[in-house]
Amino acid sequence: NRDGILSEEDLIYLGNSDPVLYGGLQNTFNIGGLRIGFYFSYSLGGKIYNYSELAMAGGYATNQYRYMQNAWHPVRNPDSNIPMAGSYDALPSDRLVHDASYLRLKNISASYTFDMRKVTKNRLRDIRVSVSGENLYLWKKYNGFDPDVSTSSSNSALRRVDIGAYPKPRTIIFSLQIRY
């Protein structure tokens, strides 16, 4: 309220953690023996509080986000608005609230089936070669690892709070199926 005293009257609403719209898009294409499928998931709107960003700014002995290289320093960067690492000026603020919108290539798979009945005189029916990938790419503006974080808590107050949760792993699987 600009009275020079930090109090409850200075609190402001910074947004809702719930997305405005979320969902996915999925499809599969079959062309002869080739099968290609994909699944995208998305979330539009909503805010996320990056607590791990606060922890990183609080000390020299922690890993830090790349943008923190431009933190305030009395000689090297006196015009920066990013608190200096290790300073106690790195307090919780609206600087740690970010847009949680994202688009994720959640899954893509491709397989090809070779019909072997003519080649092996009915002994071998077919061979299917396939590859699939999960969590292959994430488009986001959020400066943390993943705006779709899991804090491993059932507490609804911790929803959309990034406390440094490990992001979803990227996996690629190759397979070979032989049918008689």
Side-chain angles (χ1 to χ4, degrees):
N1 64 358
R2 301 185 194 277
D3 65 359
I5 301 170
L6 189 58
S7 65
E8 286 188 21
E9 285 83 33
D10 295 311
L11 295 176
I12 60 169
Y13 179 73
L14 295 177
N16 191 340
S17 65
D18 294 327
V20 175
L21 182 66
Y22 62 93
L25 176 65
Q26 178 176 337
N27 207 342
T28 303
F29 301 98
N30 292 306
I31 305 166
L34 179 64
R35 180 181 179 105
I36 299 174
F38 66 86
Y39 174 58
F40 286 93
S41 65
Y42 63 89
S43 178
L44 300 174
K47 301 290 184 184
I48 186 169
Y49 183 78
N50 192 351
Y51 184 80
S52 65
E53 188 176 9
L54 178 65
M56 288 180 186
Y60 291 109
T62 63
N63 289 331
Q64 295 181 335
Y65 291 116
R66 182 169 299 171
Y67 81 89
M68 292 179 176
Q69 292 175 345
N70 294 322
W72 182 87
H73 186 274
V75 176
R76 291 189 308 261
N77 201 5
D79 297 326
S80 177
N81 64 351
I82 302 168
M84 181 171 73
S87 72
Y88 291 99
D89 293 334
L91 297 172
S93 71
D94 61 347
R95 183 177 58 79
L96 307 175
V97 177
H98 303 278
D99 181 12
S101 299
Y102 69 87
L103 173 64
R104 178 190 310 276
L105 178 53
K106 182 75 175 157
N107 186 289
I108 191 165
S109 62
S111 66
Y112 190 82
T113 303
F114 297 94
D115 186 359
M116 302 301 288
R117 287 178 279 193
K118 295 176 184 173
V119 177
T120 61
K121 306 239 192 273
N122 294 330
R123 290 187 179 178
L124 185 60
R125 193 166 129 194
D126 59 41
I127 297 174
R128 178 178 294 166
V129 178
S130 50
V131 61
S132 66
E134 191 165 333
N135 296 316
L136 294 176
Y137 200 79
L138 176 64
W139 293 270
K140 62 182 176 68
K141 291 182 184 176
Y142 176 55
N143 66 351
F145 293 122
D146 190 345
D148 188 23
V149 296
S150 170
T151 58
S152 302
S153 172
S154 59
N155 184 345
S156 64
L158 289 179
R159 219 178 45 213
R160 294 279 175 121
V161 174
D162 186 355
I163 58 174
Y166 191 78
K168 292 172 176 52
R170 178 179 299 141
T171 57
I172 299 175
I173 299 169
F174 297 95
S175 66
L176 177 67
Q177 178 184 24
I178 300 172
R179 296 192 309 178
Y180 288 95

